[in-house]
Amino acid sequence: MVNSHLFTFLALLFLVLSPMSNAMKVLPKFQYYDTLKSYHVDKIYEVGDSTSDTGNLIRESPMGSLSPFARLPYGETFFKNATGRCLNGLLMIDFIALSAGLPLIKPYKETGANFTHGVNFVVAGSTALPLETLAANNILSPVTSSSLDVQLDWMHSYFNSTCTNQTDCAENNGNSLFMVGEIGGNDYNYALFEGKSIQELEDMVPQIVGTIANAVRRE
Ligand SMILES: *[C@@H]1O[C@H](CO)[C@@H](O)[C@H](O)[C@H]1NC(C)=O
Ligand SMILES: *[C@@H]1O[C@H](CO)[C@@H](O)[C@H](O)[C@H]1NC(C)=O
Ligand SMILES: *[C@@H]1O[C@H](CO)[C@@H](O)[C@H](O)[C@H]1NC(C)=O
Ligand SMILES: *[C@@H]1O[C@H](CO)[C@@H](O)[C@H](O)[C@H]1NC(C)=O
């Protein structure tokens, strides 16, 4: 799902962070803190799945609010509370925001959140393919219906509501970082859990890859 370089990057970050984790009352200073500042990124937007959800799944549905990610021990080390992140610590989008000298990017579903520096549209458990496409292949998406196309719709209506015209929008987002994914892993997970063969999974690859590529173009 995530390539090996990213895993190495994260593993290194966690190694750097681990000695300080008990005293983590404020945002952590880590090796790459502010190192992206020279790129002048001032907004981050992301779509994806559990590798980057900062709190949408637990807010979007009763089922999400009952998920383990809405409860300790998730979040106990850094946030002293569950945030909806599907891990105890920080996610890639968090490290990237901190590296860019920005505050952590809030989830779209957080009421009244400050989106000055971007929005996280990611939903844990989501798929790259729309639910209807999965259903046509007899695959059920059991966690959320907010697949990639839904997250992109949210993004578009967000921009529609925040900028008056295209020039305005382009200007507002001139220094924005758009992150697509990781997404698509759950399409294969659900297919496997629901008894599809490896051959059937392989047959899904072009459609999933095509959907993600189109999402990048649409963004
Ligand atoms: C802790 O997290 C839960 C679930 O995300 C939230 O409802 C609650 O308001 C949070 N509590 C504090 C003190 O932030
Ligand atoms: C939102 O955040 C920005 C930048 O962090 C800050 O300047 C602004 O005052 C905040 N807005 C509100 C309403 O808190
Ligand atoms: C964009 O906003 C306008 C005015 O608020 C609204 O009429 C229109 O339906 C919106 N378009 C989309 C795609 O959300
Ligand atoms: C776009 O919106 C901005 C901000 O409201 C405004 O200043 C500008 O004149 C508009 N441009 C066009 C082409 O409508």
Side-chain angles (χ1 to χ4, degrees):
M1 289 198 220
V2 181
N3 75 35
S4 59
H5 292 300
L6 281 175
F7 270 127
T8 312
F9 178 63
L10 278 184
L12 281 174
L13 291 177
F14 283 118
L15 275 180
V16 170
L17 282 168
S18 52
M20 325 190 289
S21 57
N22 283 336
M24 205 69 68
K25 297 236 161 41
V26 289
L27 292 178
K29 298 274 186 248
F30 62 102
Q31 190 179 338
Y32 300 99
Y33 202 81
D34 284 352
T35 50
L36 295 178
K37 257 191 149 167
S38 58
Y39 293 95
H40 305 290
V41 171
D42 73 0
K43 293 181 175 65
I44 301 175
Y45 301 97
E46 183 164 20
V47 290
D49 69 15
S50 55
T51 54
S52 12
D53 186 351
T54 58
N56 286 315
L57 177 70
I58 65 164
R59 289 182 175 85
E60 75 163 11
S61 69
M63 196 176 128
S65 71
L66 292 172
S67 73
F69 318 120
R71 293 192 301 275
L72 294 176
Y74 286 91
E76 70 180 357
T77 303
F78 291 100
F79 297 101
K80 312 292 182 213
N81 193 14
T83 60
R85 287 170 176 77
C86 304
L87 82 176
N88 180 28
L90 296 172
L91 293 164
M92 273 181 278
I93 184 174
D94 298 322
F95 286 113
I96 290 171
L98 295 175
S99 302
L102 302 179
L104 299 179
I105 308 304
K106 295 288 189 179
Y108 181 61
K109 295 288 179 183
E110 183 177 326
T111 319
N114 187 332
F115 294 138
T116 305
H117 292 293
V119 188
N120 184 350
F121 297 100
V122 171
V123 182
S126 64
T127 51
L129 296 178
L131 265 57
E132 313 80 72
T133 311
L134 290 167
N137 292 312
N138 276 319
I139 299 163
L140 185 78
S141 181
V143 178
T144 175
S145 53
S146 306
S147 50
L148 182 56
D149 56 323
V150 173
Q151 296 174 32
L152 288 171
D153 286 345
W154 291 346
M155 184 183 288
H156 283 263
S157 69
Y158 174 76
F159 287 140
N160 192 35
S161 68
T162 49
C163 28
T164 36
N165 55 50
Q166 279 205 342
T167 327
D168 188 28
C169 220
E171 216 149 86
N172 284 349
N173 286 311
N175 289 319
S176 296
L177 172 66
F178 288 86
M179 296 170 67
V180 180
E182 180 279 325
I183 189 135
N186 288 324
D187 303 57
Y188 303 112
N189 287 337
Y190 300 150
L192 262 185
F193 298 157
E194 294 168 25
K196 303 292 178 203
S197 67
I198 294 297
Q199 185 56 53
E200 286 170 303
L201 260 67
E202 281 178 9
D203 293 343
M204 291 165 66
V205 172
Q207 203 174 15
I208 293 173
V209 171
T211 302
I212 298 169
N214 284 335
V216 174
R217 289 190 200 105
R218 186 176 157 190
E219 253 187 56

